[in-house]
Amino acid sequence: MRVTMSDKRDELNEAEGLARPSRRVVLALGAAAASTVVTIRPALAQTAGSVLNCEIPVPAPEAAGSHISADGSLVPAGTQGAFPPAPRPITGEEAKALLNGGPTPAGMDAEAAQAYTNYIRRLQSGMSGFTCYASLQMPR
Amino acid sequence: MRHRLDLTIGPVSFRIGSAWPQPIAQLAALYAPYPKPAGIADFTVRLEPEKPWRRLVRPSVAIHGDYTLPDAAPLPLAQGLLAAEMGMNLQMALGQKRFLLLHAATVERDGHALLLTGHSGAGKSTLAAMLGEAGWRFLGDEFALLDPVTGLIHPFPRAISLKNQSLALFDSAAPDRLGPVLKGTPKGTIRHLRPPADAIARMAEPARPALILFPRFNRDFEPETRPVGAAETFVRLTQASTNYVALGRPGFDALTRLVTVTPSFAIDYRSGEEAAALIDTLWSNAT
Amino acid sequence: MAGPTFVADAPDALSHVALESLTAIYHAPSGMTHLLAPPAPQILAALANRPGTAEDVLARIAESFDLETEDAAAAMSARLGELEAAGLVRRA
Amino acid sequence: MKDARLLTRLLADPARMAEVRDWTGLICTARAESLLGSLAFRLADAPVPAQVAAILEDARQDAAYARTQALWEAEMAQRALGDIPLILLKGTAYAAANLPAGEGRSIGDLDILVPREQLDTAEAALLAAGWEWVKEDAYDDLYYRTWMHELPPLIHRDRDRMIDVHHTILPPTARPTPDAAALANDSIALPNGMRILCPEDMILHAVAHLFADGDLAGGLRNLWDIDRLLRRFAVTEGFWARLAARADRHQLRPHAARALRLARRVYETPIDNSLAGRAHATDALYIRRLLARDGWGRERRPFTRLGFYVRSHWLRMPPLMLARHLLTKARKPR
């Protein structure tokens, strides 16, 4: 689910430049860094709004007490330049706006909100808030 | 549970239990003309307080059932009808295994189905509702059910969820077709509209998919139509399906067949009339 | 340069559907769907039930295609790495 | 339906189908106990109403897919671990060995056993092959590594599937101390090179799992595993004596005896009376707890449940350690 639609679009467009079937085909092997395999992942994406009214605690209760550094990783409380936990869970709608570069949720500091956004981006399956985050990864 | 309603919608039946009478009464009114279920429900939805005392004190409705998602926040009791609708959607999204579930609105004409898909807010509910009042048969505004064996789309004509500005478009609908206005929901103001009578009467009749559209509503765009290739449609539809992966081989066969035989376009539109005109043109070329 | 030897599943483990220039495949042992761009499908065909190194694969593919890449060895080992991560080829 | 009794009676003997009045309730209970797939296999040939047949067919398809996914995850772990033996546990083991216990069973995480001395190598191999830690919290990490019988959970970054790497089958803090070396040494190779525990150990692991994990949550499914395994293996000569000896070796004799008595009461499992021992007054309490699920899929008898929750923690940890654990958890604001 972390492969977003825009990544896939790029790869699809890239691929269109590759071989076209004919009798004796020229086959490009691609640059070493290019990608020729995209795996379809399970999705909740577009349906999520219909099934879920969700919240993301920052950080997850499992890591409560940790602070959040600007890149979204968890660090011990008091770390220089890190932000304290979000004063309340971030709602799905707020997270969606943040991920799209939208407004800072009410009552939050703009820089802290950026750190929270990066934290949300790094969420993984099994962590509180992941289902909510995953559901926001909509193709557009 | 204290209050209960059973519903059959297209090929799927639900048992909905609630700790409070209001959501059940609202559902019963909205779905009054639907046929009574044969007795066995595919899915169970439970609307219940998070903690026992929250049934009476600041009541809030948690959405539970056969399938439940973590991270879900409860809704206030005033939005209990929305909770019931979300609960049914949740069971479909996580539990449906007989049909490939596509997040799409669907309408039908002459036995052929038009699928409108894309992210929420693209206007597909409103478009499907409008087309349903204008000569098309409404099949559903939320999920298209693709039968992997036959390749047909089965109707799933649930109440249509009208949002924000589109509420006004249906003010003239018969009052008994409209649910209560739900203000301040996570998706803004919502009002449910019961589908037209023929959509309910013919809800057991499937249709062959003929055209897939990715509509996008935006007042600032010039109206535009762009063909979408099979590979892109395929990837987009896998991401518009909650059960594509879980269906395994039958899902792969059904979806690859759908995208290789069905023309697909993205359309940008500024108004309902503009969309209807674009759809008419594409439809006459496709069927 | 000997490099590791790879092998792919027998052809009946895969269903292919061409979607324009891409290939959608259903991989029965994993239940996963992958979208492949060339030369991935050709590499899978070259390794189906027939182990080989990156060099072997290049030679097998060159029997039916003209190869066009500056550093074929590096590109091929990148392709094999991707296919291995997806579980479509394994070390023999 | 007030409890799950009808579900367990039907699993034990599908001919009792005629007793079912409320199929919706039965299906809902079975889903809530993760037993719908198992029920679907048991009722595969039964003349159920058409709507029920369709729901059960869906459940069988779902189970078939769960099996594919689980076996694939095992395959990928085997590719990653190379020469380290891959010993499968629980659901994936039942599926890989085609045991009746695997029929229709849902399978969540991949559970594997790795000998303690190879744990570091295995961890490194998995991390190199794309598995990542689920939690980053240092306390949880230390807690797992010091007191638990497994590594902190890992998840694969592309496939989103979790793996639990065990080095024994009970936390080192639990009062019984199973013989972890014997578990690995006596494991059995399958034709594809993967390994499973020997039958007696497989059963004793299911027993340990039933009593040691949480609040007896999911207990009906765990007990169903035990029933299926016992019925499958009890037919071999000398089985009960081997099971008794093995239970002694792993210090699980009283647990095995209790599990046997519960299996007989709940699933009518044929068991060895001398190993099962005399019925205990608390057996009834366990059964009440196991069956505490109503026809709406809700858990019943919250007071019984709470008692079991506290008990399960005490069984896993010495009291002072529990206090420290609960304190750390409590200090983290929710």
Side-chain angles (χ1 to χ4, degrees), chain D residues 279-299:
Chain D
H280 195 279
T282 53
D283 287 357
L285 208 64
Y286 279 83
I287 285 167
R288 233 162 67 97
R289 166 66 190 105
L290 285 167
L291 296 176
R293 179 77 65 179
D294 76 2
W296 282 90
R298 293 178 296 183
E299 288 197 88

Side-chain angles (χ1 to χ4, degrees), chain B residues 127 130 169 269-280:
Chain B
L127 274 182
M130 284 175 47
L169 300 173
Y269 66 98
R270 293 175 297 194
S271 69
E273 295 73 45
E274 213 163 76
L278 291 172
I279 289 170
D280 260 353

Side-chain angles (χ1 to χ4, degrees), chain A residues 52-58 86-110 112-114 116-118 120-121 132-133 135-138 140, chain B residues 73 185-188:
Chain A
L52 186 62
N53 170 34
C54 68
E55 294 180 336
I56 304 176
V58 181
R88 57 177 172 82
I90 294 177
T91 69
E93 292 301 307
E94 287 170 345
K96 194 160 83 182
L98 281 171
L99 290 163
N100 293 322
T104 303
M108 292 187 198
D109 171 72
Q114 269 320 302
Y116 303 155
T117 310
N118 289 331
I120 290 169
R121 283 205 180 93
C132 187
Y133 165 63
S135 71
L136 300 171
Q137 294 299 88
M138 294 184 187
R140 62 194 65 246
Chain B
T185 79
K187 291 183 282 187

Side-chain angles (χ1 to χ4, degrees), chain D residues 107-184:
Chain D
I107 306 172
D109 305 343
L110 171 63
D111 291 282
I112 65 169
L113 181 80
V114 169
R116 190 159 199 146
E117 60 277 10
Q118 286 177 296
L119 209 54
D120 291 344
T121 330
E123 182 180 335
L126 292 172
L127 289 172
W131 275 271
E132 298 172 343
W133 302 117
V134 173
K135 298 180 179 183
E136 297 184 39
D137 180 71
Y139 173 78
D140 274 331
D141 190 59
L142 189 68
Y143 168 75
Y144 265 96
R145 285 175 195 272
T146 316
W147 306 118
M148 289 300 280
H149 53 305
E150 59 199 30
L151 292 176
L154 289 155
I155 185 160
H156 195 275
R157 65 165 177 247
D158 296 325
R159 295 190 303 278
D160 287 334
R161 302 273 299 181
M162 302 244 258
I163 186 169
D164 282 329
V165 183
H166 303 245
H167 52 80
T168 180
I169 54 172
L170 273 179
T173 51
R175 254 159 283 160
T177 309
D179 183 342
L183 291 168

Side-chain angles (χ1 to χ4, degrees), chain B residues 34-280:
Chain B
Y34 282 63
K36 293 290 155 259
I40 295 159
D42 294 291
F43 299 112
T44 293
V45 174
R46 301 196 311 267
L47 305 176
E48 57 194 0
E50 207 80 69
K51 298 277 184 291
W53 58 86
R54 290 299 290 272
R55 189 171 74 82
L56 297 171
V57 185
R58 282 181 293 123
S60 68
V61 185
I63 304 167
H64 295 151
D66 288 335
Y67 300 88
T68 302
L69 270 182
D71 304 334
L75 291 168
L77 181 55
Q79 297 170 18
L81 176 61
L82 179 61
E85 291 283 328
M86 282 181 155
M88 286 190 273
N89 286 341
L90 181 62
Q91 304 315 310
M92 290 296 281
L94 300 182
Q96 176 56 250
K97 300 292 158 64
R98 207 166 306 158
F99 301 98
L100 180 69
L101 200 70
L102 299 171
H103 189 232
T106 329
V107 291
E108 176 261 9
R109 211 153 71 180
D110 308 325
H112 298 289
L114 162 66
L115 277 74
L116 301 158
T117 181
H119 63 91
S120 24
K124 55 186 173 6
S125 273
T126 313
L127 274 182
M130 284 175 47
L131 295 170
E133 305 291 323
W136 296 72
R137 172 162 69 111
F138 174 88
L139 302 187
D141 80 325
E142 191 77 53
F143 294 128
L145 308 180
L146 177 64
D147 185 332
V149 179
T150 61
L152 299 178
I153 301 280
H154 282 256
F156 187 57
R158 294 260 305 286
I160 302 155
S161 138
L162 302 170
K163 293 173 203 91
N164 303 318
Q165 294 90 334
S166 57
L167 263 66
L169 300 173
F170 297 89
D171 277 346
S172 56
D176 76 306
R177 287 181 59 198
L178 288 163
V181 176
L182 307 173
K183 292 212 168 92
T185 79
K187 291 183 282 187
T189 302
I190 284 186
R191 190 172 202 187
H192 291 93
L193 171 70
R194 182 197 304 143
D198 71 319
I200 300 166
R202 296 171 61 196
M203 70 182 192
E205 245 177 77
R208 169 96 30 213
L211 181 63
I212 300 168
L213 295 181
F214 297 91
R216 191 164 56 159
F217 170 75
N218 193 318
R219 283 185 215 291
D220 306 326
F221 293 161
E222 284 296 304
E224 203 193 316
T225 300
R226 170 178 79 87
V228 180
E232 181 177 345
T233 304
F234 179 76
V235 175
R236 281 176 178 261
L237 290 180
T238 62
Q239 298 308 292
S241 171
T242 48
N243 67 358
Y244 169 75
V245 170
L247 250 53
R249 176 68 190 266
F252 176 84
D253 290 341
L255 194 60
T256 49
R257 202 181 329 133
L258 177 72
V259 304
T260 42
V261 303
T262 317
S264 166
F265 297 88
I267 58 171
D268 289 341
Y269 66 98
R270 293 175 297 194
S271 69
E273 295 73 45
E274 213 163 76
L278 291 172
I279 289 170
D280 260 353

